[in-house]
Amino acid sequence: MRQCVGCQEMKNKKEMIRVIRTSEGEFLLDATGRKNGRGAYICPNQECLKKAVKSKGLERSFKQAIPQKVYESLEKEMTELETR
């Protein structure tokens, strides 16, 4: 079980999207859940993303500012998941 950085609900990690920070400081979306790096989880819906942005949930998880492109890639990924 993992906690969403947006809604703060505990859910199975397979149901969530994992965002990682690699040792080089790069941020990636981890679909497999197996990549090395510090991870944070978010529910795959737009509402949780909005809450995470507003509450700076990812910033707190990683203890640093998050580039805008990370939020854009999360939004793109969620849109793709919703159309499936």
Side-chain angles (χ1 to χ4, degrees), residues 33-77:
R34 299 181 186 270
K35 291 182 182 175
N36 287 336
R38 172 85 170 112
Y41 291 83
I42 187 165
C43 298
N45 65 55
Q46 300 290 337
E47 281 301 310
C48 283
L49 180 58
K50 288 177 188 173
K51 288 179 184 177
V53 171
K54 187 176 180 180
S55 68
K56 298 188 185 305
L58 285 174
E59 280 89 345
R60 271 183 291 147
S61 292
F62 294 116
K63 297 181 175 71
Q64 74 179 75
I66 306 297
Q68 186 60 37
K69 68 176 187 156
V70 174
Y71 289 114
E72 291 167 3
S73 61
L74 269 170
E75 193 168 343
K76 183 178 176 224
E77 178 74 17

Side-chain angles (χ1 to χ4, degrees), residues 1-4 7-17 41-45 48:
M1 299 293 279
R2 299 291 185 264
Q3 187 175 33
C4 174
C7 66
Q8 308 299 313
E9 289 183 24
M10 297 294 286
K11 295 186 180 177
N12 190 327
K13 66 182 185 176
K14 298 276 186 203
E15 300 171 17
M16 302 173 92
I17 297 173
Y41 291 83
I42 187 165
C43 298
N45 65 55
C48 283

Side-chain angles (χ1 to χ4, degrees), residues 13-40:
K13 66 182 185 176
K14 298 276 186 203
E15 300 171 17
M16 302 173 92
I17 297 173
R18 183 173 185 233
V19 181
I20 63 165
R21 182 184 65 210
T22 63
S23 57
E24 295 84 39
E26 184 181 13
F27 289 93
L28 303 170
L29 299 184
D30 181 12
T32 64
R34 299 181 186 270
K35 291 182 182 175
N36 287 336
R38 172 85 170 112

